Amino acid sequence: MERWRLRQSNKSKSNGAQDEKEGNCEVDEVTEDKEMNTEVEVLAEGNDVEKSDGTTEEAATKDGCDVYAYTRREEFTSENFKIELRGLPRFYHQLKKLLNETLKLNAHKLKPAGRAKNWAYVNFRDEAAREKALGVLEGYKWKKSTFKVSNAKPVEDPLVKIREEREASKKDDDPDSNLSIMERVSKSVIPYAHLSYEEQLEKKQKDALQVLRKYGSDLAHINPELAKFISFQKMRRKGQVCEVDDIVPSPVIDNYRNKCEFTIGVNPENGLPTVGFRTASYKEGSMHVAPVGHLRHLPQQMKSVVEEFEKFIRDSGLAPFSPLTHEGFWRQLNVRTTRNNDILIIPMMHPQDMNEEQLSDVKNKIVTHFTVGPGAPLGITSIFFKAFGQKEKGTEHVLELLWGQECITETILGKKFRVSPDAFLQVNTAAAEVLYDKIGSLAKLDSSSVLLDICCGTGTIGISLADRCHKVYGVEIVEKAADDAKYNAKENGLENVAVFTGKAEENMPFLMQHCTKANTVGIVDPPRAGLNNSVVFGLRKCETMKRLVFVSCDPSNAIRNFISLARPQSKQYKGEFFIPVRAVPIDLFPHTPHFELVILFERWDEQRWKRIMEGNPLPQDEEYFKHLPDKPKLQWK
């Protein structure tokens, strides 16, 4: 067990870390290109590292007490070339364009100071670029505002800062201070595990109602045309803007996760390298990693893989990577499993000063250990590998297949799906089947329906529902996932599915040409960040789309999309708006606060809703009208 101490990087300052989350700027509609964010990570993922003399952080005490130590490492960080730009107008979503296209200043990163604040921080790649910007921007007039600029201090390393604050405040009243590392990680990763499942569902139902109530309140302000509709609904639905179903439970409560990304770090209770989860994020001041064998949401198959890989790294002679000192090697282990008995693993490491021969030796040892060595009984079907140091602009660190199958396969609602190593798939397969079936029922598909599957991933939703409709068009920006979707449609013998690769907003005009049938139904299941507004514009302009099913794993964040769908028509928001008709929360993540919220939107039809609200619905709306709670009718004026 002591062999892991034998080797640290002989460079006290390594060449890498992960992208800087601090640079992600979406506040006040100011955004930045992904390529702008390529420097050393102040908020990097990672873990404590034990030094070669057996101590954990003692050798790094000097850096560990300095919130700016990261700026003096050999790695690049644009925090060293940062300015404060004041005097901005109230709305400045074109600022990046001004800086980089009009003024040719080549800003590396842009971060607003916060909402309702008229200044921002701008980072550059070197001192010359910063000095040029200071000269150009001082006194520059833009949108009736005059800029003032000055040098700015780098952002403080959050881990060091929080440690100092904790030391200063002596948090003896911390309720978690007496918890074991295993109790801490349980509280962090599955905070609802101590509740009965019925209590978990009750809490999530309340959260869903709260989100929808806020949406209804926001909707009333942004679209006065819907005032009567909103009032009509709220009077009958306990303040809600649409019908809300009871939350749909997951068919499996324990051992459900089919994918996890495990951090490799140090367990503070025994000082040993550990494959598991951090007890809190780096930003929250933690680098400790806890074991995962006791966590209820992980299947035993996955736990066994983690346990075996932990043994492997402890015997490897290589220490875990530390985001504080940037020493060490092992970063992360990704594991994916399927009901078809596939097991895919992706070890990740920082190569430090390793040459190709040394790195090849590590790869060979991994393959040997899990194919003919102690890990062989696990039945792993794919071994990938990724080694990366500091991420550089324009450089993508690709996965390397070391051994086994290139993909995993999963069966969902009777159809088989090929899934690439990094492609998205719902982490709870059994609950995903419930989700897809509910989407299909809300969409009311029939043999004349054309289904638009936006952000289709590997095609699981559209392909699962293809038998219910005339045609399915899928759009996916990730090329490998789109290739999987095309393959999956063919392998399942579906000739009515077509998948396009690229941005949804760029494909929307072409797709609209194929959606001339009266019964076009849209389904969007976007990433956590939600849809780009240009996609919303495209959906609204698709006049034949009368129904839209929106699936959100982060409803609070998706409200901005819900609002955009319902904004009044304008030069920017063309096409009749959508209104929420029914919402269904579905639990895919037992023991956590998270759930999926599915909302059925329908195109606004004033005359139709006038008749419903006056108690004289059209024949096709009679069923809906019968299920309305009994409240006084409104007189339409």
Side-chain angles (χ1 to χ4, degrees):
M1 290 298 184
E2 300 299 318
R3 289 184 57 198
W4 77 279
R5 297 179 179 173
L6 296 179
R7 188 175 179 202
Q8 294 280 349
S9 166
N10 57 21
K11 294 183 180 180
S12 61
K13 307 184 193 303
S14 69
N15 282 333
Q18 298 178 349
D19 288 333
E20 185 166 342
K21 297 173 188 174
E22 192 69 22
N24 184 17
C25 78
E26 297 180 353
V27 182
D28 291 337
E29 297 185 341
V30 181
T31 58
E32 62 172 294
D33 294 333
K34 291 181 180 178
E35 289 187 353
M36 292 177 70
N37 212 10
T38 56
E39 63 196 77
V40 59
E41 172 57 80
V42 180
L43 309 181
E45 301 287 327
N47 314 286
D48 287 318
V49 58
E50 184 170 336
K51 304 296 171 179
S52 56
D53 61 0
T55 62
T56 305
E57 293 175 3
E58 209 170 313
T61 300
K62 186 175 181 180
D63 275 4
C65 295
D66 185 351
V67 293
Y68 300 113
Y70 75 95
T71 65
R72 295 188 294 275
R73 298 189 187 120
E74 293 176 357
E75 301 147 330
F76 167 75
T77 173
S78 66
E79 288 294 318
N80 285 326
F81 315 110
K82 182 177 181 180
I83 68 171
E84 184 178 292
L85 176 58
R86 287 185 174 266
L88 294 172
R90 182 179 179 186
F91 300 106
Y92 52 91
H93 58 278
Q94 294 293 318
L95 180 59
K96 186 182 70 175
K97 183 177 180 180
L98 172 72
L99 296 175
N100 288 348
E101 297 182 22
T102 305
L103 301 179
K104 309 295 184 185
L105 294 179
N106 297 320
H108 175 66
K109 186 173 64 175
L110 172 64
K111 180 174 175 58
R115 292 194 181 277
K117 294 182 179 179
N118 70 334
W119 77 91
Y121 298 103
V122 188
N123 293 21
F124 299 89
R125 289 190 170 276
D126 53 44
E127 185 61 32
R130 176 165 70 170
E131 289 299 319
K132 177 184 176 182
L134 288 170
V136 171
L137 294 174
E138 179 63 35
Y140 186 86
K141 296 185 183 300
W142 184 58
K143 292 186 176 182
K144 300 180 180 181
S145 298
T146 303
F147 292 167
K148 291 185 68 66
V149 293
S150 60
N151 288 326
K153 291 174 62 177
V155 66
E156 296 179 350
D157 186 314
L159 177 67
V160 178
K161 184 179 179 181
I162 291 172
R163 283 178 171 177
E164 288 183 346
E165 290 172 351
R166 286 176 178 171
E167 182 65 24
S169 61
K170 302 289 185 182
K171 293 187 178 179
D172 295 330
D173 57 343
D174 182 1
D176 296 341
S177 60
N178 295 322
L179 296 180
S180 69
I181 191 73
M182 294 173 68
E183 290 170 325
R184 283 175 179 265
V185 76
S186 293
K187 188 173 182 179
S188 175
V189 178
I190 47 172
Y192 285 5
H194 67 289
L195 301 173
S196 70
Y197 191 51
E198 289 72 21
E199 290 174 309
Q200 295 181 34
L201 293 177
E202 287 177 9
K203 289 176 72 69
K204 296 184 186 189
Q205 181 76 15
K206 289 180 181 178
D207 289 343
L209 293 173
Q210 183 176 351
V211 168
L212 290 166
R213 190 171 288 111
K214 181 182 186 306
Y215 172 45
S217 177
D218 293 346
L219 190 58
H221 286 92
I222 64 102
N223 194 339
E225 191 176 343
L226 288 175
K228 290 185 182 296
F229 168 81
I230 293 171
S231 177
F232 178 85
Q233 295 287 355
K234 284 187 172 182
M235 284 170 45
R236 289 158 176 77
R237 303 193 186 280
K238 299 180 180 179
Q240 294 296 338
V241 73
C242 66
E243 179 182 359
V244 184
D245 289 15
D246 290 337
I247 188 168
V248 180
S250 171
V252 290
I253 300 173
D254 295 325
N255 314 315
Y256 62 83
R257 282 198 70 100
N258 58 41
K259 177 188 177 183
C260 275
E261 298 175 353
F262 299 98
T263 301
I264 302 174
V266 173
N267 182 338
E269 292 187 350
N270 58 23
L272 293 174
T274 299
V275 182
F277 295 136
R278 282 203 309 264
T279 55
S281 70
Y282 185 94
K283 188 175 182 180
E284 294 170 321
S286 174
M287 293 193 302
H288 296 153
V289 174
V292 297
H294 63 295
L295 299 180
R296 295 177 57 181
H297 66 323
L298 303 182
Q300 185 56 49
Q301 190 181 39
M302 190 176 288
K303 292 176 182 177
S304 297
V305 172
V306 168
E307 182 181 354
E308 189 58 44
F309 195 79
E310 185 174 88
K311 293 176 183 176
F312 174 80
I313 63 168
R314 288 180 180 179
D315 290 338
S316 70
L318 303 175
F321 176 78
S322 167
L324 185 63
T325 65
H326 289 205
E327 295 178 330
F329 298 87
W330 298 111
R331 288 181 179 271
Q332 185 172 306
L333 174 70
N334 292 3
V335 183
R336 302 190 76 155
T337 62
T338 72
R339 297 190 294 192
N340 295 333
N341 295 319
D342 291 324
I343 305 177
L344 180 149
I345 65 170
I346 310 174
M348 300 184 190
M349 69 182 305
H350 191 309
Q352 301 290 4
D353 56 350
M354 283 185 175
N355 57 36
E356 286 300 321
E357 183 179 352
Q358 291 170 318
L359 198 56
S360 179
D361 182 59
V362 171
K363 297 175 191 176
N364 290 334
K365 286 179 178 178
I366 293 173
V367 172
T368 300
H369 187 94
F370 289 98
T371 57
V372 296
L378 293 171
I380 288 174
T381 54
S382 301
I383 303 175
F384 286 80
F385 182 80
K386 181 186 284 190
F388 61 95
Q390 180 177 357
K391 293 184 178 180
E392 300 176 1
K393 183 177 180 180
T395 301
E396 182 180 356
H397 301 281
V398 297
L399 290 173
E400 179 184 357
L401 177 62
L402 300 184
W403 180 88
Q405 304 170 6
E406 294 184 355
C407 303
I408 56 175
T409 58
E410 185 60 279
T411 303
I412 300 175
L413 294 176
K415 292 184 171 63
K416 196 170 183 179
F417 295 91
R418 183 185 80 177
V419 183
S420 293
D422 50 359
F424 173 76
L425 187 70
Q426 291 287 357
V427 298
N428 184 339
T429 306
E433 292 183 317
V434 174
L435 172 67
Y436 298 164
D437 191 60
K438 180 62 70 174
I439 291 172
S441 64
L442 288 174
K444 294 185 177 178
L445 301 171
D446 58 37
S447 58
S448 68
S449 301
V450 173
L451 177 63
L452 269 183
D453 186 3
I454 311 298
C455 309
C456 70
T458 56
T460 49
I461 296 179
I463 290 173
S464 295
L465 304 177
D467 294 335
R468 308 186 192 184
C469 57
H470 172 69
K471 187 75 176 181
V472 175
Y473 292 105
V475 184
E476 173 56 44
I477 191 173
V478 179
E479 186 174 356
K480 286 185 178 179
D483 289 343
D484 286 342
K486 295 171 186 177
Y487 175 89
N488 292 332
K490 183 178 180 180
E491 286 299 299
N492 284 285
L494 298 171
E495 297 181 355
N496 65 333
V497 177
V499 179
F500 300 89
T501 306
K503 294 181 179 179
E505 56 268 31
E506 294 176 356
N507 280 278
M508 282 304 296
F510 174 78
L511 292 173
M512 286 167 59
Q513 298 175 15
H514 294 270
C515 297
T516 56
K517 289 184 175 290
N519 189 19
T520 299
V521 180
I523 294 177
V524 290
D525 184 11
R528 189 170 296 275
L531 288 176
N532 186 299
N533 243 3
S534 56
V535 181
V536 177
F537 300 156
L539 293 171
R540 288 185 54 148
K541 287 190 289 187
C542 185
E543 295 180 358
T544 60
M545 184 186 295
K546 304 301 182 184
R547 302 169 72 83
L548 175 67
V549 181
F550 198 116
V551 185
S552 174
C553 61
D554 188 353
S556 296
N557 191 49
I559 282 182
R560 64 182 183 86
N561 284 155
F562 303 160
I563 290 294
S564 295
L565 288 167
R567 285 188 181 276
Q569 289 195 69
S570 64
K571 290 182 179 180
Q572 187 178 25
Y573 292 88
K574 298 178 181 178
E576 194 64 81
F577 52 82
F578 286 91
I579 58 169
V581 176
R582 184 178 171 191
V584 185
I586 302 177
D587 186 23
L588 269 73
F589 317 101
H591 311 309
T592 80
H594 308 296
F595 58 92
E596 299 275 351
L597 182 62
V598 184
I599 300 182
L600 170 64
F601 290 89
E602 291 186 356
R603 190 79 69 166
W604 173 246
D605 184 332
E606 182 177 346
Q607 292 304 312
R608 175 193 172 203
W609 281 100
K610 176 182 177 181
R611 294 189 60 161
I612 291 174
M613 290 188 283
E614 289 180 342
N616 183 31
L618 294 168
Q620 62 266 32
D621 294 320
E622 287 182 357
E623 191 66 26
Y624 175 86
F625 185 77
K626 287 179 183 178
H627 288 87
L628 277 172
D630 187 20
K631 289 289 180 180
K633 301 173 187 176
L634 287 179
Q635 183 63 39
W636 187 275
K637 294 183 180 179

